[in-house]
Amino acid sequence: QAAKYMGRPVTSLAWASARILIFVAEDQLSMYDTQAKVNEDWLDDGQFAPLPVPFVPRAFKSHMIAWNQQTQQLADWGWEHRGGRPVSVIQVYNVTPNTADFRTRRWPTVQLAGTLDMAQSPVALEWHPSGDHLIYAYKKKVFVHMYPFEVARPIEYTVRDEVTVVRVKASGDQLVVGTAGGHVVSLDVSSRLG
């Protein structure tokens, strides 16, 4: 076993590459190089492990993330304060994790690429294996939304009770949906995604 104490509650994890782990801890989005060795003066807890690197301004409160292996993009759902009130938003970042060298403090390149305001707080967030659709869900609905979001309205599916989890099959033709009422529902998405 290997462990790294992050010091804050961790709510979401995603691998960006074989060595770069992205995580959300207490609303803050950070990257962590799991293989780098660093100098003693970097360490705050006596371990030979790099420190997590925050890379999104604290004004955005991250909560749930999903990594797109096809396009090297990160979807991040969280809260943005506008006019004194929180707004539920999905932000998409272009990320180049392999340009990072955590030993020399050269951070990964991160660029905001798109945003989508949400009517509700999603309970699931996952990229379709094709890399060009983002899947999210709230209440009794599951959405498959082409990215960039402006291209088309999301494809919408309704199930019998509130969604708790969504997983997409590796082939991309099916979604499996778990619900609060104890049901597991299979949705065929192949015909509508073309």
Side-chain angles (χ1 to χ4, degrees):
Q1 291 187 14
K4 171 67 178 173
Y5 179 59
M6 298 304 179
R8 294 163 291 162
V10 176
T11 58
S12 194
L13 296 162
W15 285 102
S17 69
R19 64 185 292 171
I20 304 298
L21 181 68
I22 303 177
F23 67 93
V24 179
E26 209 170 69
D27 300 335
Q28 179 66 49
L29 194 59
S30 297
M31 278 192 184
Y32 179 63
D33 188 335
T34 61
Q35 296 177 18
K37 301 296 183 184
V38 296
N39 297 326
E40 289 272 7
D41 59 3
W42 273 58
L43 304 180
D44 63 349
D45 57 6
Q47 298 181 46
F48 273 87
L51 304 179
V53 181
F55 66 98
V56 173
R58 275 200 172 275
F60 187 78
K61 305 297 185 184
S62 300
H63 190 74
M64 188 183 341
I65 56 176
W67 178 252
N68 189 334
Q69 193 62 47
Q70 298 290 340
T71 63
Q72 302 283 284
Q73 289 178 315
L74 182 76
D76 175 21
W77 167 68
W79 299 92
E80 183 177 66
H81 275 271
R82 296 183 197 161
R85 67 183 186 90
V87 179
S88 179
V89 182
I90 292 175
Q91 297 193 155
V92 176
Y93 303 96
N94 295 330
V95 185
T96 51
N98 294 326
T99 64
D101 186 341
F102 283 57
R103 292 167 296 181
T104 60
R105 303 194 184 193
R106 188 175 74 212
W107 309 140
T109 304
V110 179
Q111 180 183 26
L112 181 63
T115 63
L116 178 67
D117 286 7
M118 302 291 290
Q120 303 284 339
S121 302
V123 296
L125 190 67
E126 188 169 358
W127 287 98
H128 189 268
S130 64
D132 56 12
H133 287 78
L134 184 65
I135 300 160
Y136 52 88
Y138 53 75
K139 293 191 178 292
K140 298 179 182 180
K141 295 184 181 296
V142 179
F143 301 88
V144 182
H145 203 155
M146 181 179 285
Y147 184 82
F149 299 126
E150 299 79 15
V151 172
R153 292 181 59 81
I155 300 167
E156 183 178 320
Y157 300 89
T158 301
V159 294
R160 65 176 69 186
D161 49 14
E162 298 222 353
V163 177
T164 54
V165 64
V166 179
R167 288 290 179 268
V168 58
K169 199 173 177 181
S171 59
D173 59 350
Q174 276 187 319
L175 303 181
V176 178
V177 181
T179 75
H183 298 98
V184 176
V185 182
S186 178
L187 301 175
D188 185 347
V189 299
S190 57
S191 60
R192 297 184 68 179
L193 292 184

